[in-house]
Amino acid sequence: MRLRGLMRKEFLQIVRDPSSISIAFVMPVFLLLLFGYGVSLDAEEVPIAVVMEAFGGEAVSFAAEFRHSRYFDAREYVDMREAVTALRAREVDGIIRMQADFAERIGSPGPAPIQLILNGVDANTAELVSGYVQGSWLNWLQHRAEQAGQQLDIPVEVEQRIWFNPEVRSRNFLVPGLVAIIMTLIGALLTALVMAREWERGTMEALLVTPVSMTEILLGKLIPYFILGTGGMLLSVAMAVWLFEVPLRGSFGVLFAAASLFLLVALGMGLLISITARTQFVAGQVAILTTFLPAFILSGFIFDINSMPWFIEGLTYAIAARYFVAILQSVFLAGDIWSVIVPNALALMGMAVLFLGLSRSRSRKRLE
Amino acid sequence: MLSWLRILALVRKEFLAILKDPKSRFVVIGPPLIQLVVFGYAATFDLNDVSFAVYNQDRGSYSRDLVSAFDGSPTFNKVAVLNADREIAPRVESREVLLVLRIGPRFTDELLKGEPAKVQVIIDGRNSNTAMIALNYARTIIRDFNDRVLAERGAAGAPAELIVRAWYNPNLESRWFIVPGIVGLLTLVVTLLVTALSVAREREQGTFDQLLVTPLRPVEILIGKATPGFLIGLSEAAVVISVALLWFEVPFRSTVLTLYTGLVLFLLSAVGVGLMISSLSVTQQQGLLGAFLFMVPAIILSGFATPIANMPQAVQAVTLVNPLRYFMVILRSTFLEGASFEALIPQFWPMAVIGLTSMALAGWLFRHRMY
C-alpha cells in the first residue's frame, strides 16, 4: 500500500517532467535512427586516384578494372603531384600509380611494379581499401591470363564462408550492439538522478520521517523506471527488426528475458550511483563516465575484446554491456545459442544482485 | 561597459561551485585520465589474438605446411583440431573460435598434380568488421603460401606486382588513429558536463533569478559561466595531449600553435553548446539529458570510430553542425599528417561560427526563458 503511494508519486514525477519520458521513448528512436543510418564500417565507392604515367593498353585495362568496380570511385590523373594534393586534401583515400616504364616492364621478364599509396591515418579504412585493390588486381591478372588463353596459376584458392552474416552488412552487428548501448543509457540516466535529487532538494529527509522502509523507497524508485525502460527496449527491438531489417534468428522470449535482466543491472547501477553521489552534478558525471563510454568502447560492440591487452580484457568483465552485447549479437544473428546465452545471463544476474544489494545496504534511514 | 571585477567574482564563485566538493572535484579530474589510458589500449581495430580451429582431412605435407604457416603467425592462435564436420558448428557458435580452416582430403594430391586446390575458411560473421579483418589476414598467409609453392615449381610468377605504401602511418596502427580521437572525445565530455549543468543548477535552486537582478549584465553572466568550463577543458585537454604523446608515443608532426588554435576554437564551441543546453533546461535532469542528447550523436557522427564518408548524404549534412567533426580532423592532421596552419583554416572557422552562435543564443535565453 505504502509502496503504491511511492510508485504513484514517482509516476507523477515522470509524467510531469517530460525529460524522463523522452529518455525512455524519444531517445531510443532518435539514437537508433542516427546510429542505424550513421554508423557504418562498409566502405563503398571509395574515392581513389589512378595515375597513368604510361599509356599502354595494359595500363588502360588495369585502370578500367577500377572504373567498373562498385567499390571504387576512380578518378584519373596524369600528374602524380595533382594526385598527391588530392590525397592530402582527403579527396581520395589512395593513389594507384603506374610509372612511365610500366608498359615496357610488363613485357619484359620480372614483375612490373604498380604502386598503391594509402592515407594511413584511418588505419581501418586503409586496410579495407588495400584489400579491395588487391582483389581488383587479382581480377585483372585473371582476365589478362584468360585473354592470352592461359590459366592464371594460383595453387590454393580461398573459399570463404561467412556465417551468420554472409553479405557482411556491418549494420547487422552494429544495430544489436546499439540496443545494448541505448538501454545502458536509459537505465542509468533514468535512475542516476532520482535519489540524488531527493537528497539535494531535502525531500529525502521528509521521506525518512515517514513509516516507509528503505526497501520500499528503493522499490518505489525502481519499479516505475523498470516499466518505462521495458517500453524503451521493446521500441528499440521493434525498430531493429522492422526498420533496419536485422534478422532475429533466436526467439523473442530469450531476447526479452536477457534484456529485462540487463535493464535490472543498468537500473541498479544508476541507483547505486545516485545513492553514493548525493548531488545531481556528481551523479550525472559518474553516470556518463561509467556507463556510456565503457559500453561504447569496452563491450565488444565495435572493438574486438580478444585483441585488447590482458589487463583491459580483465576490466571488460566488469562492464555489464559486454555480456548483453554477446547475447544480443548471438540471438539476433545466430539463434538461441545456449552456450553463449547461459554464461552471459548468469553474469548479468550476478551483477544485478550485486548492484541492487549494494544499493540496499548503502542506503540507511539515517542522516549524516 | 563590461565590469571585469564583477565577472571575476562570478568566475570565482563558479569554480567554487564545481571544485569545493571533493567528489565533484574528483569526477572532473580523475575519470578522463583513467579513460584515456583504458580506451587508448582498448580501442583498436587491429587483431592480435584470432582463435582458430583446423579440420584437416588431408594427410600430405602441403596441408601440414599451410597449418604451420597459420601456427607461426603471431595473429592466429590455434585452440582446437577437429576431426569431423559436425564439430565445426558448436565451436563457432559458442565463439570459442573465430575462424575454422577446413582442408579437403585431396589437398596435397591436387597441389602435386598442379590442379587448383581449395581451402575453406569458415568465419564467424557476427562482428562483420572483425570477420573481414581476420579474413584479410588469412588471405595474406595463403598468398605467401602460394608464392612459395610457385617458387618451388619454378613458375614465372605474376607479370605485375602491387607495392603498397601507407603514408603517415606506415604500419597502419589503428592506435595512432584512435588516441588523438580520444583527446577530442574526452575534452568534449568534460567541457559539456561542466557547462551544461551550470545554469540548470541555479535555475533548479532558484538562485538564477537572484543572479538576474544583480547588476551583472547577461553578457557578463555569459562570460562568467563560460570561463570555468573553458579553463577546465583547456587544462584537461593539455594533460590528455601530453599523455597521448608521452605514454602512447603517437607522433606529433605539426606545430603546437596549430593544434592549440584548434583546441581553443573547439572549446569555444563546446562551451557555447553546453551553455545553450543549460539555459534551455529548468532542472539538472533536463540539463544532463540535453548534454547527452548532444554528446552521444556528436561522438558517433564525428568520424571517431566510423568514417563520415560511409554515412548517407543526409547524415553527412547533419555532421556539418558538429564541432567535434572538425576537431577530429585537426587532431589527426596535426598529430599524423603534419598539416600546416593554413591547411586547417576550413576546419577552424566552422567551429568559431558554432561557438559564437550558440553563445549568443545562450545569452538571449538567460532573460527570455522564464518559467
Side-chain angles (χ1 to χ4, degrees):
Chain A
M1 196 56 217
R2 286 197 300 251
L3 185 58
R4 245 176 62 193
L6 279 172
M7 279 167 56
R8 185 157 171 263
K9 174 235 141 199
E10 206 66 35
F11 266 122
L12 284 178
Q13 212 163 15
I14 292 172
V15 174
R16 295 201 180 144
D17 178 359
S19 66
S20 291
I21 293 278
S22 36
I23 290 178
F25 294 106
V26 180
M27 198 167 73
V29 174
F30 172 74
L31 292 180
L32 264 177
L33 282 178
L34 212 55
F35 294 174
Y37 288 115
V39 179
S40 163
L41 291 162
D42 312 328
E44 261 173 53
E45 300 209 355
V46 176
I48 200 155
V50 180
V51 180
M52 284 197 289
E53 289 169 353
F55 285 98
E58 301 274 10
V60 172
S61 86
F62 186 62
E65 195 67 47
F66 292 92
R67 256 204 316 278
H68 300 313
S69 161
R70 74 182 171 96
Y71 295 112
F72 294 104
D73 169 17
R75 297 168 193 181
E76 284 170 24
Y77 293 85
V78 181
D79 191 349
M80 184 64 186
R81 274 168 303 181
E82 281 174 46
V84 170
T85 312
L87 184 74
R88 286 197 199 280
R90 291 159 196 273
E91 283 162 25
V92 294
D93 285 343
I95 303 174
I96 292 163
R97 181 190 193 189
M98 284 161 284
Q99 276 157 312
D101 58 354
F102 182 73
E104 257 170 66
R105 293 195 49 181
I106 202 158
S108 56
I114 300 170
Q115 276 183 0
L116 168 63
I117 297 164
L118 297 164
N119 184 338
V121 173
D122 182 349
N124 195 45
T125 303
E127 205 77 75
L128 279 175
V129 173
S130 153
Y132 291 164
V133 172
Q134 285 180 15
S136 297
W137 171 69
L138 270 181
N139 267 344
W140 175 71
L141 284 181
Q142 219 142 17
H143 287 163
R144 204 175 160 274
E146 272 165 30
Q147 273 166 3
Q150 300 163 343
Q151 191 75 37
L152 184 66
D153 201 5
I154 300 175
V156 178
E157 270 182 60
V158 180
E159 208 181 48
Q160 64 192 54
R161 293 270 183 281
I162 298 169
W163 282 9
F164 312 125
N165 188 3
E167 64 272 57
V168 208
R169 272 175 84 202
S170 66
R171 194 180 278 172
N172 279 3
F173 88 89
L174 289 174
V175 169
L178 281 173
V179 174
I181 289 192
I182 287 166
M183 285 183 55
T184 310
L185 287 183
I186 299 179
L189 275 186
L190 282 176
T191 44
L193 297 185
V194 292
M195 295 289 274
R197 185 167 56 198
E198 302 245 10
W199 280 113
E200 206 170 291
R201 288 178 179 170
T203 49
M204 197 64 191
E205 290 173 35
L207 259 182
L208 291 182
V209 296
T210 61
V212 294
S213 71
M214 207 62 216
T215 313
E216 283 170 327
I217 296 182
L218 289 180
L219 280 179
K221 297 277 177 202
L222 204 59
I223 296 170
Y225 290 107
F226 184 77
I227 295 172
L228 210 60
T230 309
M233 180 257 293
L234 290 176
L235 196 65
S236 312
V237 173
M239 282 178 70
V241 174
W242 284 302
L243 190 63
F244 293 112
E245 296 175 339
V246 178
L248 177 59
R249 302 204 171 102
S251 60
F252 179 73
V254 173
L255 182 64
F256 186 80
S260 309
L261 207 54
F262 179 70
L263 195 58
L264 273 184
V265 181
L267 290 172
M269 217 166 122
L271 210 54
L272 186 62
I273 292 170
S274 191
I275 287 165
T276 320
R278 297 259 170 129
T279 66
Q280 297 189 60
F281 176 76
V282 176
Q285 288 266 14
V286 174
I288 289 181
L289 293 173
T290 57
T291 55
F292 167 60
L293 286 178
F296 186 58
I297 293 175
L298 297 176
S299 66
F301 155 64
I302 290 191
F303 302 109
D304 182 55
I305 291 180
N306 281 330
S307 295
M308 297 175 188
W310 62 269
F311 50 97
I312 306 286
E313 202 182 326
L315 199 64
T316 62
Y317 287 101
I319 309 293
R322 175 206 161 119
Y323 306 107
F324 191 43
V325 167
I327 295 180
L328 279 173
Q329 287 183 349
S330 288
V331 171
F332 268 102
L333 297 178
D336 293 342
I337 312 274
W338 295 106
S339 53
V340 172
I341 293 165
V342 173
N344 286 303
L346 284 177
L348 282 178
M349 217 177 281
M351 290 186 91
V353 171
L354 180 73
F355 283 131
L356 294 174
L358 271 178
S359 306
R360 175 65 193 87
S361 69
R362 295 205 60 164
S363 45
R364 293 269 146 71
K365 284 191 87 170
R366 191 190 308 147
L367 292 174
E368 264 153 28
Chain B
M1 259 311 278
L2 292 180
S3 159
W4 293 106
L5 206 66
R6 287 200 297 258
I7 294 175
L8 209 66
L10 184 59
V11 169
R12 188 159 168 264
K13 177 236 140 201
E14 287 296 319
F15 265 116
L16 280 176
I18 299 164
L19 298 179
K20 73 161 199 295
D21 172 25
K23 274 185 200 160
S24 110
R25 199 161 52 215
F26 175 74
V27 294
V28 171
I29 298 165
L33 293 179
I34 301 169
Q35 292 195 321
L36 173 67
V37 174
V38 170
F39 297 163
Y41 280 111
T44 165
F45 286 114
D46 306 333
L47 303 181
N48 54 35
D49 184 15
V50 176
S51 47
F52 78 107
V54 178
Y55 176 32
N56 186 0
Q57 293 169 287
D58 180 59
R59 302 212 170 274
S61 60
Y62 275 122
S63 67
R64 273 205 306 277
D65 286 352
L66 183 61
V67 172
S68 59
F70 273 82
D71 274 334
S73 145
T75 315
F76 288 94
N77 174 21
K78 186 165 75 187
V79 294
V81 177
L82 310 179
N83 297 309
D85 262 336
R86 65 188 149 72
E87 288 176 34
I88 296 175
R91 303 264 182 180
V92 176
E93 281 174 352
S94 66
R95 298 201 144 175
E96 197 187 327
V97 300
L98 182 72
L99 185 145
V100 177
L101 202 62
R102 187 169 177 276
I103 303 171
R106 297 196 52 245
F107 186 77
T108 304
D109 277 356
E110 282 165 344
L111 279 178
L112 285 173
K113 285 182 193 150
E115 292 168 14
K118 278 204 169 112
V119 57
Q120 209 177 55
V121 175
I122 297 164
I123 199 156
D124 177 357
R126 268 173 281 188
N127 184 331
S128 62
N129 195 52
T130 307
M132 288 316 279
I133 296 170
L135 190 62
N136 272 345
Y137 289 167
R139 281 180 175 284
T140 308
I141 292 179
I142 294 169
R143 201 169 47 237
D144 290 346
F145 178 81
N146 278 342
D147 287 346
R148 279 202 304 276
V149 174
L150 284 177
E152 240 173 67
R153 290 182 190 166
E161 67 179 335
L162 199 62
I163 302 164
V164 184
R165 292 268 177 283
W167 283 5
Y168 314 122
N169 184 2
N171 297 325
L172 292 180
E173 278 186 54
S174 65
R175 185 163 296 148
W176 285 13
F177 174 65
I178 299 282
V179 169
I182 292 177
V183 174
L185 206 82
L186 292 178
T187 309
L188 178 74
V189 172
V190 170
T191 316
L192 212 55
L193 281 176
V194 169
T195 47
L197 294 182
S198 68
V199 179
R201 182 169 48 219
E202 300 225 30
R203 280 248 164 87
E204 187 171 313
Q205 293 168 351
T207 51
F208 199 67
D209 293 346
Q210 293 169 11
L211 206 58
L212 286 177
V213 296
T214 58
L216 278 164
R217 295 166 45 202
V219 186
E220 292 170 356
I221 300 180
L222 191 71
I223 299 175
K225 289 274 177 196
T227 310
F230 188 83
L231 291 180
I232 291 175
L234 188 65
S235 33
E236 291 257 7
V239 174
V240 170
I241 289 170
S242 322
V243 175
L245 293 177
L246 301 175
W247 182 275
F248 287 108
E249 296 177 338
V250 180
F252 186 77
R253 297 177 178 141
S254 182
T255 60
V256 175
L257 176 74
T258 314
L259 176 60
Y260 275 80
T261 306
L263 177 60
V264 165
L265 289 171
F266 173 66
L267 283 169
L268 185 75
S269 57
V271 168
V273 171
L275 282 178
M276 194 173 74
I277 291 168
S278 196
S279 44
L280 269 173
S281 9
V282 176
T283 61
Q284 293 190 61
Q285 177 171 358
Q286 290 176 2
L288 186 68
L289 174 66
F292 237 93
L293 279 184
F294 176 77
M295 194 159 66
V296 175
I299 290 172
I300 304 279
L301 300 182
S302 66
F304 165 66
T306 60
I308 291 180
N310 291 1
M311 299 169 190
Q313 286 301 324
V315 179
Q316 286 195 31
V318 173
T319 65
L320 292 178
V321 297
N322 178 7
L324 191 57
R325 170 211 160 116
Y326 304 104
F327 192 44
M328 283 287 165
V329 175
I330 293 171
L331 283 166
R332 283 161 183 165
S333 19
T334 50
F335 271 93
L336 300 177
E337 291 176 22
S340 64
F341 190 89
E342 297 78 47
L344 289 174
I345 289 174
Q347 315 294 331
F348 289 149
W349 68 263
M351 294 197 295
V353 171
I354 295 169
L356 293 176
T357 317
S358 51
M359 289 268 191
L361 264 171
W364 184 82
L365 282 167
F366 282 166
R367 281 196 177 273
H368 291 81
R369 179 159 164 98
M370 295 301 232
Y371 51 95

